[in-house]
Amino acid sequence: MSRYGRLTPSLALLPFLGYLVVFLLIPTITVVVGAFQEDGAFSFVNIEALFSDTALRALWKSVLLSGSTAVVGAVLGALLSYLVVTSPPTSVLRRAVTSVCSVLAQFGGVTLAFAFIAALGFSGVITEALRSSVGLDIYGSWLFGVPGLILVYTYFQIPLMVIVFLPALEGLRPQWREAAVSIGATTWQYWTQIAIPMLRPAFLGAMLLLFANAFAAYATAAALVSQGNPILPLLIRSALTSEIVLGRHNLAFALAFEMIIVVAVVMTAYALVVRRTSRWLR
Amino acid sequence: MKRNRLLAYSAAVGVSALVLSACSPPADESSDEPTTDSGVSANKATSVSDFGDMDGLVKAAQEEGELNVIALPPDWANYGEIIKTFSEKYDIKVNSDQPDGASQDEINAAKQLKGTDRAPDVFDLGQSVALANTDLFAPYQVETWADIPDEFKDPDGAWVNDYGGFMSIGYDSSKVPDVATLDDLLGGDFKGRVALNGNPTEAGAAFSGVVMAAVANGGSADDIAPGVEYFGKLKDAGNFLPVDPTPSTVQSGQTPVVIDWDYLNAALAKDVPSWKVVVPENAAIAGYYFQAINVDAQHPAAARLWEEFLYSDEGQNLWLKGGARPVRAEAMAEAGTIDQELYDALPEVSGEPVIPTNEQTEKAASYLADNWAKVIG
Amino acid sequence: MRTSPTWRITRVVLLVLFGVFFVIPMLAMLDFSTRDVGGGRTWQAWANLVEDPTLSAAIIRSLLLAVLTVAGMLVLLVPTMVWVRLRVPQARRLIEFLCLLPLTIPALVIVVGMRNVYAWVNYLVSDSALTLTFVYVVLVLPYAYRAIDSSLSSIDAVTLAEAARSLGAGWFTVIVRIVVPNIRSGVLAAAFISVALVLGEYTIASLSHYDTLQVVIALLGKSAATTSVAASLATLLFASALLILLSFVNRARRDVEGS
């Protein structure tokens, strides 16, 4: 053991900790402090502005968008995970799906927005196909508002769900099923009394993770929505870059502060839920 | 014992982070200030006489060799050609940053990049942002200062209006019926076809579009509510398309109707021969942009030469070519130096032009911030 | 277990539906990017990836950023994690929490608050886009941590270290020549996912006014839509190729070493 006591080995962690303090903690603290300032002095003006109509509306739409894509992504992702897990372990399908999902979960932002514009936009592939074949024109302003965002966000929520939930599904031992069958349980009973209760914490936790992921997402919405600031991240962009309503930098801080709080609450819930799961699925 | 130590560490980290977050780096003192023959440094020059004469200015600018401009889209009032002409004429490299930026982005960039090589040297700003940031501008009076009407310039020369236009409705006459007033756009032929250039709570062009709708519907620059109501009606009729109009969306037919400055709409006519531009009767909203030199410009002589170029006959006519009304238009028309053909081709304007003052803009802006989201969502 | 024919058919139908949903936007991008004005196909949009100076400069910039970020992550994270595993195990929880913290603090918040920090960075280092590396390393931490951690957990690093130390190796040798080669798959995974993340990052770059690849793609979307869609698809294909390559490398290693 080192002659200098227990402290010395920890010193080697200082560069890492210092780096995080500078590039992660200081920006966060700047935001938190700035939310309570206006023109350099302490003020609640921006916190009050968080309760204005526009800000509350944006918060509500963000929650709606995140919640709906979390639910849809969780359900469809769980379904896809189940389809994957019930195929043989070394099959091509499982490997293909897991690697594709790890790419698609990162496939957000500008790229995804353009992909959907290329598919469903004014001269998009699907729009034109439907127009020429069935005469149905699905193009509309819906794509550039919250409904469009819901569709597009689902595209990366489902793969994220698969990545997070698949290990939980794999943790369901086949021995449990065999044991249940051997004492006379039906498939329905197995699912409702054993599998679903086992999976519920992991499912809820994954859904919370999806919610936080959608809530914090900026790039896709920024690329897709140019008119209006329906959701919170776009309202932050407007506060930073507006040339009409000026001097709202501190409002941007306040909105960002609001964002931290929501995401922190959700992630804490996630951590608590996941801790319960890991106890069982060891 | 461990918990106390952990708390102590966290407290230390927290406090140091708080202190550090308030610090800014030392302002970069420009190491060598270029001086002109008259002994005045280039970044304090207030007119061309501080450089001796125009040749002195050109020489000083060419020594600097570069000019940083920002937020100048090439098809906005013919800036593409202006930049190219300037660059070739004086052999100065023009770095055009963030062509898609808004006025606030220009100020943000100036503050963020202060002292660095990338800081913008000159600004072209909308009214609100310009008047709110005059402490960032270096006063300079161009050679043609006397030609510019007093209401279009700051008495010290901190800013000068450069070009302006009227809010207009541009439309593709081959795709939609003829348009004369805003009310025409509420008709059934325009479903999902009317686009506004930008977000009124963010962009000057869109803001003026709402003012135009207000004036056309019985409101005024003081009362923007009818304008917001109008766009609500447009949306309810399903005619409002929440897409940013660009030359490609116009060409593809996605945005056959565009509410925008007349010079921007005029630029669209180049690609679409059937494009027409009309300024609604008695709802003539005028807007001028503000030209200024960054007080911390890294290329102060080039910046001043740029302004001289813009306000020369050549520069003003280039703006006219882009469909904008140059600020020296009246003086040049009298002197006969204006390009008469282009001047006559500008859209007709009837009624008294309305230019919202700064106070009116502020009031309208806060009304918009509270109500636009309700209407457009 | 359920091999009933209805279930098998349902499985196939569902998998096909999922496949269609995920493939269609990508096919749409391919179609859109090869469209020619007035019908017909052209590869001009793809050629613009090298011909358009703004775009090619942005591509090179982003690739450099990716390389620098991976280097930064390797230098910062790997020694720290190995050191924690070997010498300061009680700090493991703290490091894990800190590494997963960037998942809780959205990139949007970081960019809003990092202006002061970056004023210093621009003053001390430079103001080129490559300084984004510093904040990108923070962004990739959660994913890199997870990849390296799962790899570290699968080897018995402590025993390896003890054996090496007993043979007289210094700590540097232990980390660099003993442990790291054994967690190569985790390190590679961390590197590849960092590259994918950096190439796709838009929020911080755009709000800090740097012209990285995604920012330029968004910009081009207004004027040259086909080129920007081509660039988007190219980025996606590149990231996928990297990840597929990674899975091959992993499989090869596993074959060589045995399981």
Side-chain angles (χ1 to χ4, degrees), chain A residues 53-54 57 139 141 227 242-243, chain B residues 103 198 201-202 204 254 369 374:
Chain A
D53 252 347
T54 317
R57 192 183 303 253
Y139 173 73
S141 42
Q227 185 61 251
S242 169
E243 64 181 12
Chain B
S103 301
T201 60
E202 288 178 48
Q254 187 178 5
K374 283 194 200 126

Side-chain angles (χ1 to χ4, degrees), chain C:
Chain C
M1 234 162 285
R2 279 144 123 219
T3 50
S4 68
T6 32
W7 171 237
R8 263 207 293 251
I9 296 180
T10 330
R11 277 194 77 224
V12 172
V13 167
L14 286 174
L15 281 170
V16 166
L17 282 176
F18 272 114
V20 162
F21 175 67
F22 284 112
V23 157
I24 281 195
M26 297 199 247
L27 286 181
M29 283 206 284
L30 185 60
D31 173 87
F32 196 90
S33 62
T34 51
R35 270 193 207 163
D36 201 358
V37 180
R41 296 273 155 210
T42 170
W43 288 100
Q44 185 55 43
W46 288 84
N48 282 341
L49 287 174
V50 281
E51 286 172 21
D52 184 321
T54 328
L55 187 54
S56 44
I59 290 179
I60 294 178
R61 206 171 287 138
S62 283
L63 284 174
L64 272 177
L65 262 175
V67 167
L68 287 175
T69 308
V70 167
M73 180 269 296
L74 289 176
V75 164
L76 191 70
L77 188 62
V78 173
T80 305
M81 286 180 71
V82 175
W83 188 255
V84 164
R85 177 77 57 141
L86 294 180
R87 297 275 276 142
V88 201
Q90 60 268 38
R92 183 152 166 232
R93 267 290 150 82
L94 174 67
I95 299 294
E96 183 173 356
F97 172 73
L98 286 178
C99 282
L100 297 184
L101 203 53
L103 281 179
T104 314
I105 302 179
L108 188 53
V109 169
I110 296 180
V111 70
V112 166
M114 75 180 202
R115 205 151 291 186
N116 267 349
V117 173
Y118 258 79
W120 277 101
V121 169
N122 288 334
Y123 176 69
L124 292 171
V125 183
S126 95
D127 59 343
S128 87
L130 298 179
T131 56
L132 280 175
T133 309
F134 294 114
V135 72
Y136 279 359
V137 168
V138 170
L139 287 184
V140 306
L141 275 183
Y143 310 95
Y145 177 82
R146 230 181 266 157
I148 298 177
D149 188 58
S150 64
S151 215
L152 258 183
S153 308
S154 64
I155 64 168
D156 191 355
V158 177
T159 314
L160 277 174
E162 276 178 25
R165 295 272 294 164
S166 70
L167 290 172
W171 280 114
F172 184 75
T173 313
V174 169
I175 294 181
V176 172
R177 292 179 56 187
I178 308 288
V179 176
V180 168
N182 277 298
I183 54 170
R184 227 199 311 243
S185 62
V187 170
L188 268 179
F192 282 166
I193 207 166
S194 305
V195 170
L197 199 139
V198 168
L199 287 181
E201 208 284 325
Y202 174 76
T203 309
I204 295 189
S206 76
L207 289 174
S208 308
H209 307 300
Y210 287 116
D211 282 335
T212 60
L213 179 57
Q214 293 293 323
V215 174
V216 170
I217 287 180
L219 200 66
L220 280 180
K222 299 221 173 147
S223 51
T226 49
T227 310
S228 64
V229 170
S232 306
L233 189 54
T235 320
L236 183 64
L237 289 175
F238 182 68
S240 321
L242 278 184
L243 281 150
I244 293 180
L245 191 66
L246 173 70
S247 67
F248 271 121
V249 166
N250 274 341
R251 204 169 354 134
R253 277 177 52 78
R254 228 171 288 149
D255 289 339
V256 164
E257 299 170 340
S259 186

Side-chain angles (χ1 to χ4, degrees), chain A residues 107-151:
Chain A
F107 176 29
V110 179
T111 323
L112 186 59
F114 281 144
F116 268 85
I117 292 180
L120 296 172
F122 182 71
S123 36
V125 171
I126 302 193
T127 326
E128 302 229 314
L130 282 177
R131 248 187 234 143
S132 48
S133 62
V134 190
L136 176 69
D137 194 353
I138 57 167
Y139 173 73
S141 42
W142 63 269
L143 182 61
F144 305 103
V146 175
L149 284 178
I150 292 181
L151 177 62

